Amino acid sequence: MPDPVALLHVPALSDVAEYAYAATVEPPARLVFTAGACPLNAEGCVVAPGDHAAQARQVMMNLETALDAAGARLTDVVKTTVYVASAQQADLVTVWEVVRDFFGDHDPPSTLLGVAVLGYSDQLVEVEAVAAVRVGV
């Protein structure tokens, strides 16, 4: 069956962005909404305090685990929101590079935000996603 997710690269918009500008989901598909994946290990502790890249890697591994539990993969993701607790653009870029590496050639629309604080002490990164999975697959 064809993939229910179509990522749209819009020629009228700048090609500088490392993501598609829009995505569509064709029926029949089941949508999966994740909570924000946090940089927590199996014991519930924040990993790598002060290290944006290491926390981003843990976040993406946790996101993959959450998607897998819902029967989805990173290649099923339609949209992400990436939160970085920093006012420094370099920190946002560091996190974004890790997130992009996890997605590989799949480049869903994404929003990257610098925020003042996240929910756990020492937490620097959080990523939430929406995915679409073909029904019956």
Side-chain angles (χ1 to χ4, degrees):
M1 287 189 142
D3 188 358
V5 176
L7 302 179
L8 306 174
H9 297 88
V10 181
L13 297 173
S14 171
D15 63 357
V16 172
E18 296 180 306
Y19 48 80
Y21 278 102
T24 62
V25 177
E26 297 297 325
R30 177 175 52 84
L31 293 179
V32 176
F33 298 85
T34 71
C38 297
L40 303 176
N41 62 20
E43 292 75 39
C45 299
V46 171
V47 302
D51 187 335
H52 286 86
Q55 285 198 10
R57 284 188 291 279
Q58 182 68 48
V59 161
M60 293 305 294
M61 290 185 291
N62 290 349
L63 180 61
E64 283 182 308
T65 300
L67 288 167
D68 184 60
R73 304 177 316 266
L74 286 176
T75 54
D76 298 318
V77 170
V78 178
K79 169 81 170 84
T80 65
T81 304
V82 180
Y83 302 93
V84 182
S86 177
Q88 302 301 313
Q89 190 175 32
D91 294 335
L92 278 71
V93 170
T94 295
V95 169
W96 178 249
E97 289 172 349
V98 172
V99 170
R100 286 297 314 130
D101 286 349
F102 268 81
F103 277 103
D105 291 336
H106 184 71
D107 59 349
S110 187
T111 300
L112 176 63
L113 301 166
V115 299
V117 66
L118 292 166
Y120 293 98
S121 295
D122 297 321
Q123 180 183 359
L124 300 173
V125 180
E126 188 164 329
V127 177
E128 63 183 19
V130 178
V133 180
R134 174 73 59 202
V135 172
V137 173

